[in-house]
Amino acid sequence: MLSRVADSLYWMSRNIERAENNARILSVKLIQMLEASDEETYANHDWEVIFEICASIQEFEKFSHSDIYDGEVLINYLAFSEENINSITTCISSARENARITRDHLPNDFWEIWNDFYLYVLESKEEKWSKKDIQNYLQRMKMASLTAQGVIESSMSRGLPYRMIKIGKWLERADKTARILNCVCKNIPTSDAEYQEEYYYYWRTALQLVNGYEAYLKQHPPIMDPKTILSFLIGDENFPRSIKYCMDHVREAIFELEEGKVSHYSWEMYAALDNLMDEFNEVKIKELSLQELSNFLNHFQYRCNEIGQIFSKTYYLVEPVNTSYKVGKTQHPHQQQNMESRSSMKYQIEHTNKFDYETVVDQSMNTIRLKPTTDEVQRLLSYRTEIQPSSLTKEHIDLWGNYVETFFIPEQHTHLEVKTTSIVSIQRSPFIHRIDYSPEMKAIFHSELFRLHYLSFLNDTHYTYVTPEQVEQVVKAVGEMDNPVQFSIDVMEHLHDTFTYNGETTDVNTPARESFDLKNGVCQDITHVMLGILRAKNIPARYVSGYLYVGENSALIGDSATMHGLK
């Protein structure tokens, strides 16, 4: 599965879980505001806690120091604000966009449920809602999430897409439970005798926010004992919102994702999960003070964010924005980068070749390589070949991974026309800049097996060969090759800075060693030079061609033309 698909499924799941959790938390707060009596003092002064759970302390402070500080403004910010990246409406929209991108990996019922709810939210956007209307909206949000997740469980095959969805869900849920408990611990007074009433109120609220009040009462007496509640919400192996339950399921899903294997790219993720689970086993919650528990939860939130980042790095997902963690100032691992910049763009490409012969051709056999590939940054949605005179094509994949079509025309003809139409979905993915050159990767890179596997991408040709002296010039400019990924990026930037794009100095037969000395040429020449340099350093590289289009009136050299590049 492509990393961009995995990324969209993962963040779709996290956004749905986040929207449901925030809706439940805000719903509990609204009910408390209506029912507040003896607890009114606490109910009217815990907006800071709600913001710390659903947004951030910094955002709350902006409101508390302004002239518009009231419950209605705070509710609207958490529920509907487009400026709030973690508002319920923003999460709904982000989840819907991710679902749209990955529709062919999801059950149709799931898309219909979530898209219908998204349209309902859009239609209701401009309405002036009362607190009762907002409560109904929050209830619909929770039901939409539960129904959508039910479709996933009942209709979706247990393949890679399913695993990515589940991992996103369990990581988000574990983080939210820890966040709620951490905020409650920080706001609980330490004197048992003086503040029993606040104890009851805050611990009952914690259970309600995690949706564990009913489950807790079925297992324990209706006494709000802090240690019992914390033990239940942190370490209960059977409650599906306890931290341990969630992390156990994250570990299980990754184990199934990797088919039980630990590889050079996944060992760090396994190690982080196993270390965290070892800490769970070592901590005896009922023996810790509230301060010690608060420190433990602080540490867990940091580790949970860290595991999310390691997971993103392992599978080349788009890393969260603003993931820095500050003790005492809880922050969310925010949603992935701006959806507008990440959304896939569809392009229709028509390529037509026409041949007119001076004399009649009795018959002809031809080979074409015009079918786009699917990789980390693009996805082929459809492809069609039209040939005149009519002929059927036979397809195979060559040594370099290209789609190759051959066709035979047995009849006489003086004109040949080949037209291909492709629809491709493009999505930006800066994964190359985030590849970690680990010791395991270094051992593989220097192995004989690696060299033999990529031999076809290591051998020079007449067009790509550059002299050892020319290679040494580049090495002096960019430094020795210690990390092949970084070295490749540095060489690319060096050639970009030192070569002048000029279509008059070279032609299609100019070899790399000549264009290197000229420091002039077109895409083909610069690509040939870079191929020669990388291959001289045993870095597999190949020549690719395609199209580059970034918009009308672009100042980018070579835009809207056939491009030649490196891979």
Side-chain angles (χ1 to χ4, degrees):
M1 185 169 64
L2 298 179
S3 66
R4 64 175 181 78
V5 175
D7 175 69
S8 293
L9 292 171
Y10 171 79
W11 280 105
M12 177 198 76
S13 181
R14 290 201 69 154
N15 277 307
I16 291 174
E17 182 69 22
R18 187 173 299 179
E20 180 194 337
N21 289 332
N22 288 355
R24 179 175 288 104
I25 291 165
L26 195 53
S27 177
V28 169
K29 174 60 181 171
L30 290 175
I31 293 173
Q32 287 177 344
M33 291 172 66
L34 294 172
E35 295 180 346
S37 54
D38 294 336
E39 299 164 351
E40 185 173 4
T41 301
Y42 316 126
N44 287 336
H45 290 85
D46 59 5
W47 273 113
E48 182 177 344
V49 177
I50 298 299
F51 261 73
E52 189 169 3
I53 295 171
C54 297
S56 72
I57 289 294
Q58 292 84 351
E59 290 170 286
F60 176 76
E61 290 173 349
K62 292 178 184 177
F63 285 103
S64 62
H65 294 104
S66 69
D67 298 331
I68 57 171
Y69 177 72
D70 61 50
E72 184 176 344
V73 172
L74 300 178
I75 291 169
N76 285 330
Y77 183 78
L78 293 176
F80 307 114
S81 175
E82 294 181 357
E83 297 177 2
N84 177 10
I85 195 172
N86 290 303
S87 75
I88 297 170
T89 299
T90 302
C91 290
I92 292 168
S93 178
S94 296
R96 189 261 186 186
E97 179 62 18
N98 281 312
R100 183 189 67 81
I101 294 171
T102 56
R103 276 191 66 178
D104 53 343
H105 294 272
L106 297 167
N108 287 333
D109 288 343
F110 174 91
W111 167 254
E112 290 176 5
I113 289 167
W114 200 254
N115 191 52
D116 285 347
F117 181 64
Y118 168 77
L119 295 176
Y120 156 74
V121 172
L122 282 186
E123 292 170 0
S124 309
K125 205 172 186 180
E126 304 302 324
E127 295 180 11
K128 183 71 174 178
W129 282 2
S130 64
K131 289 182 180 178
K132 181 179 179 181
D133 294 328
I134 294 174
Q135 189 68 271
N136 290 335
Y137 164 73
L138 298 176
Q139 292 299 322
R140 286 195 63 166
M141 168 64 247
K142 290 187 286 184
M143 292 308 299
S145 173
L146 294 172
T147 305
Q149 293 187 51
V151 171
I152 294 292
E153 294 299 328
S154 62
S155 304
M156 196 165 181
S157 298
R158 269 44 176 176
L160 294 181
Y162 176 83
R163 304 297 172 202
M164 298 302 299
I165 290 172
K166 302 309 289 184
I167 291 169
K169 169 185 172 180
W170 296 121
L171 278 175
E172 181 69 28
R173 184 173 292 184
D175 177 78
K176 184 68 78 175
T177 299
R179 190 179 305 279
I180 290 170
L181 294 179
N182 199 9
C183 293
V184 169
C185 282
K186 286 192 298 182
N187 285 275
I188 287 289
T190 56
S191 173
D192 292 1
E194 188 177 352
Y195 295 104
Q196 285 296 323
E197 187 177 2
E198 282 132 301
Y199 261 137
Y200 182 87
Y201 169 71
Y202 277 112
W203 289 116
R204 185 195 68 184
T205 299
L207 288 166
Q208 291 172 333
L209 295 180
V210 181
N211 198 29
Y213 188 62
E214 183 180 347
Y216 174 81
L217 292 180
K218 288 179 179 179
Q219 294 185 38
H220 303 280
I223 300 173
M224 296 296 106
D225 176 58
K227 298 297 180 66
T228 306
I229 292 171
L230 286 166
S231 180
F232 174 71
L233 294 180
I234 293 174
D236 193 293
E237 295 181 349
N238 299 311
F239 178 55
R241 289 184 178 271
S242 78
I243 294 172
K244 189 175 190 317
Y245 185 98
C246 293
M247 297 312 296
D248 281 343
H249 279 67
V250 170
R251 178 67 163 77
E252 179 184 344
I254 290 175
F255 185 82
E256 293 172 348
L257 192 69
E258 291 296 316
E259 298 179 344
K261 301 173 184 176
V262 180
S263 60
H264 68 279
Y265 63 85
S266 63
W267 69 269
E268 185 181 3
M269 182 173 55
Y270 276 113
L273 283 166
D274 290 343
N275 288 338
L276 183 61
M277 300 316 295
D278 288 342
E279 291 175 11
F280 269 107
N281 296 331
E282 292 173 3
V283 172
K284 295 181 179 178
I285 295 168
K286 292 190 177 182
E287 297 178 5
L288 299 179
S289 67
L290 284 179
Q291 182 58 51
E292 289 171 331
L293 280 168
S294 181
N295 293 337
F296 168 77
L297 291 166
N298 255 329
H299 176 68
F300 171 79
Q301 282 185 256
Y302 172 81
R303 294 296 300 276
C304 191
N305 287 342
E306 184 181 53
I307 287 171
Q309 292 173 26
I310 293 172
F311 181 79
S312 295
K313 182 178 69 173
T314 301
Y315 294 104
Y316 302 128
L317 310 184
V318 174
E319 293 184 12
V321 179
N322 250 351
T323 55
S324 59
Y325 184 84
K326 300 179 181 178
V327 176
K329 292 189 176 182
T330 312
Q331 296 183 355
H332 274 286
H334 286 310
Q335 305 169 34
Q336 76 275 43
Q337 294 170 352
N338 184 285
M339 287 303 302
E340 184 178 349
S341 65
R342 294 186 65 261
S343 298
S344 57
M345 179 69 73
K346 292 181 181 178
Y347 293 95
Q348 178 172 307
I349 304 160
E350 293 184 359
H351 188 114
T352 304
N353 283 346
K354 296 181 180 180
F355 304 90
D356 290 301
Y357 305 110
E358 295 180 356
T359 59
V360 175
V361 176
D362 291 330
Q363 56 185 337
S364 64
M365 177 173 286
N366 299 274
T367 300
I368 57 174
R369 290 175 172 84
L370 293 171
K371 185 176 181 179
T373 60
T374 292
D375 60 19
E376 292 292 343
V377 294
Q378 72 178 29
R379 180 181 176 199
L380 180 62
L381 302 178
S382 67
Y383 174 78
R384 184 178 72 253
T385 305
E386 300 173 70
I387 302 171
Q388 293 295 333
S390 297
S391 177
L392 298 176
T393 63
K394 185 176 181 180
E395 183 178 297
H396 70 276
I397 297 177
D398 66 15
L399 176 65
W400 298 277
N402 301 309
Y403 291 108
V404 182
E405 293 176 282
T406 59
F407 62 91
F408 176 66
I409 300 176
E411 62 194 72
Q412 291 187 340
H413 55 282
T414 58
H415 175 80
L416 173 63
E417 183 171 329
V418 179
K419 178 182 178 182
T420 61
T421 304
S422 310
I423 297 179
V424 179
S425 174
I426 302 296
Q427 187 148 352
R428 298 175 184 176
S429 178
F431 66 94
I432 187 66
H433 293 276
R434 291 188 279 112
I435 294 179
D436 181 20
Y437 188 53
S438 64
E440 291 77 14
M441 289 179 66
K442 184 176 182 180
I444 293 172
F445 177 74
H446 290 287
S447 69
E448 181 66 11
L449 180 62
F450 182 85
R451 189 189 71 81
L452 293 175
H453 183 76
Y454 290 106
L455 192 60
S456 57
F457 301 140
L458 289 168
N459 290 332
D460 268 318
T461 68
H462 168 72
Y463 292 105
T464 64
Y465 174 75
V466 289
T467 67
E469 293 76 18
Q470 291 171 329
V471 174
E472 187 60 27
Q473 288 183 41
V474 176
V475 171
K476 286 182 179 179
V478 303
E480 289 291 339
M481 196 282 293
D482 296 321
N483 179 332
V485 178
Q486 189 58 51
F487 181 79
S488 302
I489 295 172
D490 293 342
V491 171
M492 176 183 66
E493 293 176 349
H494 173 73
L495 296 181
H496 177 269
D497 294 339
T498 56
F499 267 69
T500 301
Y501 188 91
N502 188 339
E504 303 297 326
T505 57
T506 60
D507 56 40
V508 294
N509 296 312
T510 304
R513 58 187 180 276
E514 291 184 17
S515 54
F516 183 94
D517 291 335
L518 292 170
K519 296 295 188 292
N520 271 261
V522 293
C523 305
Q524 169 185 289
D525 302 298
I526 302 171
T527 301
H528 281 158
V529 170
M530 186 166 177
L531 282 169
I533 296 168
L534 296 187
R535 289 175 178 178
K537 291 296 181 179
N538 294 316
I539 301 175
R542 68 167 179 159
Y543 186 105
V544 297
S545 62
Y547 303 94
L548 179 64
Y549 178 76
V550 294
E552 299 295 334
N553 302 317
S554 168
L556 187 63
I557 295 174
D559 183 20
S560 302
T562 304
M563 298 295 293
H564 309 284
L566 189 74
K567 188 171 185 180

